[in-house]
Amino acid sequence: MAQIEVTRLPDATPRPRHVAIGTFDGVHLGHQAVIDDADTVLTFDPHPLSVIHPAALPKLLMPFEVKRDVIEGLGVRELVVIPFDAEFAGRSAEDFVERVLIEMLAATSVSVGENFRFGAKAKGDPQMLAARPEFETRVVPLVEVDGETVSSTRIRALVAAGDMVGARHCLGAPFMVEGTVVEGDQRGRELGFPTANIIPDDQLAYPGHGVYAAFADGVPAAVNVGVRPTFDSGRGVLIETYLIDREEDLYGRALRVAFVERLRGEKRFASVEELIAQMRIDVEDAKRVCASFTGAQ
């Protein structure tokens, strides 16, 4: 597949585009319905709330690089990124429509979710877009899963609770964490389970403490998210990934972990022997879950 073209808005040249607009954090099933057959996605980086109301900025579900890859997987040709700042936040909704959508992007059709708001003081709405004759407007209703609206807020809560199955039903794919593998204290290696360790980014969501079955760069894995209660390590949260039946040095490399299912909560063990026995069980459980995972929701 051709790599998606990433364009900063100031560098965009006009051409007929079918544009889907949104922040699209998580690129969940509701976002996918908005993007559907668009050839261009118009999004914001950083997240608008980081400029408008930093205290209200939630933990994001995915970093920009993952969002780009997921959007590319939907068949989108171009990702146009608005470098969101105070100046852009102050632009009126009319200015956004005329300068951005019509002049800069030459949009022939525009797709948004029914709750999309834009422009200074969020005065722009789908009705304003639909009233414009220059392009067709498609307003997409909110998507429901299990009788409840799919939203980034709902998915964040599921992820924090360790409900990877619920999160996957809303995302349409497993929840992912990506990070650079850092040097640990070799504890896992001493126990016979060498792990690739990631320190989660404080600005991003990550699963609640516990042990998970996952795929790490496509390889079945058992993953511990937590602060290692058996050992007083004095560290913050670590994501420790044991790649099953695969041994390679991952230090300094980016690792993408796709969480499939929570196996158990975090637990303190009375002895190292008990911990090792439980780790063996965790690895077998993770193997079983990964082997039966089809990728279906």
Side-chain angles (χ1 to χ4, degrees):
M1 187 179 9
Q3 280 215 313
I4 192 167
E5 190 182 340
V6 179
T7 311
R8 289 175 75 260
L9 180 65
D11 303 329
T13 50
R15 66 168 174 82
R17 286 176 170 89
H18 175 176
V19 182
I21 316 170
T23 305
F24 299 131
D25 180 35
V27 198
H28 58 57
L29 293 179
H31 297 149
Q32 291 173 35
V34 174
I35 293 169
D36 194 21
D37 57 353
D39 59 43
T40 303
V41 163
L42 178 62
T43 193
F44 310 88
D45 191 55
H47 191 293
L49 278 176
S50 68
V51 174
I52 299 164
H53 192 357
L57 179 68
K59 287 190 183 294
L60 300 181
L61 291 169
M62 50 178 57
F64 179 79
E65 294 74 19
V66 176
K67 179 160 87 167
R68 175 200 64 208
D69 292 352
V70 174
I71 289 171
E72 178 176 14
L74 299 174
V76 173
R77 187 175 139 193
E78 185 182 18
L79 184 59
V80 178
V81 181
I82 293 168
F84 200 84
D85 56 16
E87 186 274 324
F88 198 93
R91 289 189 182 193
S92 69
E94 291 82 0
D95 181 74
F96 178 80
V97 173
E98 283 165 21
R99 284 274 303 121
V100 176
L101 297 181
I102 297 169
E103 280 180 39
M104 300 179 80
L105 299 182
T108 54
S109 70
V110 170
S111 176
V112 292
E114 65 176 58
N115 58 349
F116 180 66
R117 299 292 178 272
F118 62 97
K121 299 190 167 48
K123 287 190 172 163
D125 60 18
Q127 288 65 40
M128 177 190 275
L129 295 172
R132 300 297 300 224
E134 294 91 344
F135 48 78
E136 274 182 53
T137 299
R138 179 171 156 263
V139 181
V140 180
L142 298 174
V143 170
E144 287 195 356
V145 166
D146 302 328
E148 203 181 324
T149 300
V150 173
S151 69
S152 300
T153 304
R154 176 183 173 189
I155 296 166
R156 264 189 288 279
L158 290 166
V159 168
D163 185 352
M164 295 298 110
V165 176
R168 185 168 78 242
H169 287 171
C170 294
L171 287 164
F175 173 76
M176 291 186 286
V177 167
E178 183 175 78
T180 302
V181 176
V182 298
E183 289 266 5
D185 48 22
Q186 309 295 317
R187 186 101 59 192
R189 190 169 296 283
E190 288 163 20
L191 300 175
F193 295 93
T195 57
N197 301 322
I198 296 170
I199 298 169
D201 184 328
D202 206 36
Q203 295 175 316
L204 299 172
Y206 57 85
H209 294 186
V211 176
Y212 296 84
F215 288 96
D217 285 353
V219 176
V223 182
N224 184 72
V225 180
V227 289
R228 301 173 161 199
T230 300
F231 303 101
D232 293 321
S233 60
R235 279 176 192 271
V237 173
L238 261 188
I239 297 173
E240 301 171 287
T241 302
Y242 172 66
L243 281 73
I244 299 170
D245 300 332
R246 175 78 66 93
E247 182 134 5
E248 57 182 305
D249 183 2
L250 296 169
Y251 290 133
R253 281 184 29 198
L255 187 67
R256 197 172 281 189
V257 181
F259 290 84
V260 178
E261 195 177 301
R262 190 172 195 246
L263 300 175
R264 63 174 177 86
E266 196 172 35
K267 190 176 169 191
R268 183 182 284 276
F269 293 92
S271 69
V272 171
E273 289 73 29
E274 271 183 51
L275 172 62
I276 291 171
Q278 181 62 56
M279 286 166 84
R280 288 200 179 109
I281 293 168
D282 294 339
V283 168
E284 288 309 311
D285 285 346
K287 251 187 198 172
R288 178 180 46 75
V289 168
C290 290
S292 63
F293 181 66
T294 60
Q297 290 175 44

